[in-house]
Amino acid sequence: MRIGDTVRRPLRPFSLTVQGYLGHLRDAGFTGAPLPLGVDEQGREVLSFVPGQVHRHPLPAEAAGDDVLVDLARLIRALHEASAGWVPPPGAVWGGSPAVQGKLVGRAELVSHRDYATGNVIFRDGRPAALIDFDLARPTTRLYDIANALWYWAPLKWGDPRDRAPALEDADIPHRMAVFADAYGMTARQRAGLTPLAVDMARRYYEDSSASAKLDPVFRKHWEGGGRDVLRRAEAWLREMAPAIAARVVQPG
Ligand SMILES: Nc1ncnc2c1ncn2[C@@H]1O[C@H](COP(=O)(O)OP(=O)(O)O)[C@@H](O)[C@H]1O
Ligand SMILES: [Mg+2]
């Protein structure tokens, strides 16, 4: 809930660890994240309200251009630069799934956001300007973080023609990934690793969601009501597109 220029959210086990990370980002000069403002008298987490607008799937035409990917890639690059070298304090508690992390990603390089869902990217003047909702932040790799951003924004999740936003119906997704890769400044090694990681990630998101649907009745409704089919189609589409994606992404543009 918003109060003035602050946001109040339920305090979770990881909230104070995330606030420590947000404090580091502020000190490092990164301005694209909420400021950590502690805990209020009712025990809620307090963050600064980040002005702007979010777009959700299906992305409207104004959020579907290559220029948006360029700004998002630069924003994530700046986040990575600000995050690198920060060592979480002993006793740090993170959200998200450590299993996904360990199996998919290997040894962590830095703490990062890891959840670039469309509702977590704040636009100003039509361009991505800031990130919110660091609930899934934890130690990870730059490449996993990039793959997650592309999942929502290439988008890989909605690559199958049946799931495309109308504004992206004719979009060339491998091209969009190459635009992101160039704007981020991905290394040859990251480019080579992206497609295999994305395929594994799609598989893992399916398995994780399937497991969550067994535990959480609200999520189960969403999963059985079409969420499962979207992830099935996404994985099949991605496997089919993998060579085309690799051909566009592996060579810098
Ligand atoms: N710090 C913030 N500044 C501005 N808007 C926010 C902020 N935190 C949340 N919001 C708004 O609330 C929505 C949901 O918040 P979020 O933290 O992403 O929770 P969740 O994804 O778990 O619902 C966001 O899409 C955004 O519109
Ligand atoms: Mg969110």
Side-chain angles (χ1 to χ4, degrees):
M1 106 188 295
R2 181 176 175 184
I3 302 182
D5 51 13
T6 70
V7 169
R8 315 289 166 121
R9 307 167 89 232
L11 195 67
R12 261 84 54 84
F14 50 79
S15 301
L16 295 179
T17 297
V18 171
Q19 287 214 7
Y21 173 51
L22 294 174
H24 165 76
L25 294 178
R26 174 201 55 213
D27 296 345
F30 181 76
T31 55
L35 299 173
L37 302 172
V39 176
D40 72 8
E41 61 291 343
Q42 294 181 37
R44 296 173 301 193
E45 151 165 79
V46 188
L47 298 171
S48 66
F49 177 81
V50 181
Q53 189 195 2
V54 298
H55 296 291
R56 291 175 193 278
H57 175 73
L59 287 179
E62 71 256 36
D66 286 0
D67 53 341
V68 164
L69 288 170
V70 168
D71 284 1
L72 181 64
R74 289 181 180 155
L75 183 62
I76 293 173
R77 178 64 189 252
L79 175 68
H80 289 175
E81 296 298 325
S83 302
W86 182 68
V87 179
V93 178
W94 298 109
S97 159
V100 170
Q101 189 60 45
K103 291 194 186 119
L104 261 186
V105 174
R107 195 145 60 88
E109 302 166 345
L110 76 185
V111 172
S112 197
H113 184 289
R114 297 176 66 256
D115 183 16
Y116 300 98
T118 51
N120 292 340
V121 177
I122 300 271
F123 282 64
R124 285 196 286 269
D125 300 322
R127 315 289 288 263
L131 305 166
I132 56 168
D133 189 359
F134 282 70
D135 289 357
L136 300 190
R138 66 162 41 245
T140 188
T141 61
R142 294 172 178 83
L143 188 59
Y144 175 79
D145 216 41
I146 289 168
N148 178 272
L150 291 169
W151 178 248
Y152 294 106
W153 291 90
L156 302 177
K157 179 174 181 182
W158 300 291
D160 184 281
R162 284 162 283 185
D163 300 313
R164 294 269 179 124
L168 288 163
E169 206 171 274
D170 300 318
D172 177 349
I173 290 181
H175 162 79
R176 288 170 58 79
M177 295 174 76
V179 166
F180 185 103
D182 292 345
Y184 177 92
M186 284 175 73
T187 64
R189 198 189 173 86
Q190 288 168 338
R191 288 166 182 271
L194 179 62
T195 314
L197 175 62
V199 171
D200 287 351
M201 189 184 76
R203 175 83 273 196
R204 186 121 298 259
Y205 285 171
Y206 181 90
E207 286 166 4
D208 262 33
S209 301
S210 186
S212 304
K214 292 199 175 82
L215 301 174
D216 174 353
V218 176
F219 184 72
R220 180 156 64 236
K221 224 172 146 205
H222 157 81
W223 183 243
E224 291 175 354
R228 173 169 52 202
D229 299 327
V230 171
L231 290 204
R232 271 201 190 120
R233 286 193 290 268
E235 187 185 339
W237 176 86
L238 181 54
R239 283 183 195 280
E240 193 185 309
M241 292 298 288
I245 292 171
R248 292 299 276 280
V249 171
V250 172
Q251 295 304 321

